[in-house]
Amino acid sequence: MSQQLQAQSEKLLAGPKRLRRQAEKWISQQPPYIEVAVATLLGGGQGAFLGTIMGTMTKLDPNAGKMFTPPAGANPEMAQRMSAIQAGGPMAQAKNFAVMTGVNAGLSLAVKRYRGGVEDVRGVMIAGFGSGAAFSLVSGMTQGNPLQGAFSTGVLFALLQGGFYQVRVCALLHLTLRAAWPVQLAIS
């Protein structure tokens, strides 16, 4: 029975796999700006989908319309801004996520292509800065000078994404070394 189920699943997935191979072949034949535009659109679509889900989940929360009470010593203005972002509902969340992920995907690929295929923490941080700045401008999260807010949010996103990248690299290095060095050394 499991072989029959596996055969059916392979048959079901054959169409999407073929479509993906055709799309990848077409994209590889296009100039870099088309590849970046497609990556940006696909990233934005993914972000819109995730934002819609997040916005819908926020609406399902019985406390969604209430003002968040910040912990002692926290900035009450930040709680007000976060509540305003969530109050926009699924469409506002979809827009924010779409901009954030679309800009990130497009910039990641553009920087990677510009640097000859190099993917490192510098490229990740550049994309993080761009997505954070774009998110700040689109979401209306900052008050006062929007450019200063975009810069601050961009720096924060760049630092976060750079940190996540470094953690991922260290985890992969650790797993690689464990696989390559099967002998366990006892340290007493």
Side-chain angles (χ1 to χ4, degrees), residues 58-87:
T58 301
K59 280 195 150 198
L60 295 175
D61 181 8
N63 299 318
K66 299 176 185 168
M67 180 69 167
F68 171 72
T69 306
N75 184 352
E77 288 181 23
M78 184 56 73
Q80 185 178 14
R81 292 180 200 154
M82 293 303 293
S83 294
I85 289 172
Q86 292 178 349

Side-chain angles (χ1 to χ4, degrees), residues 151-176:
F151 180 79
S152 300
T153 307
V155 168
L156 175 65
F157 274 48
L159 291 173
L160 288 172
Q161 288 206 8
F164 292 147
Y165 180 85
Q166 292 295 83
V167 167
R168 189 183 86 195
V169 167
C170 288
L172 289 173
L173 179 63
H174 175 73
L175 291 173
T176 304

Side-chain angles (χ1 to χ4, degrees), residues 117-138:
V118 174
E119 186 175 352
D120 62 358
V121 71
R122 211 177 296 161
V124 168
M125 289 180 75
I126 290 168
F129 178 84
S131 65
F135 170 75
S136 175
L137 292 171
V138 169

Side-chain angles (χ1 to χ4, degrees), residues 33-101:
Y33 63 88
I34 297 291
E35 189 177 5
V36 170
V38 169
T40 302
L41 289 172
L42 291 175
Q46 179 183 3
F49 177 74
L50 291 173
T52 302
I53 290 173
M54 295 297 288
T56 303
M57 290 172 59
T58 301
K59 280 195 150 198
L60 295 175
D61 181 8
N63 299 318
K66 299 176 185 168
M67 180 69 167
F68 171 72
T69 306
N75 184 352
E77 288 181 23
M78 184 56 73
Q80 185 178 14
R81 292 180 200 154
M82 293 303 293
S83 294
I85 289 172
Q86 292 178 349
M91 292 307 289
Q93 294 279 15
K95 174 190 70 168
N96 293 340
F97 274 76
V99 167
M100 189 169 45
T101 57

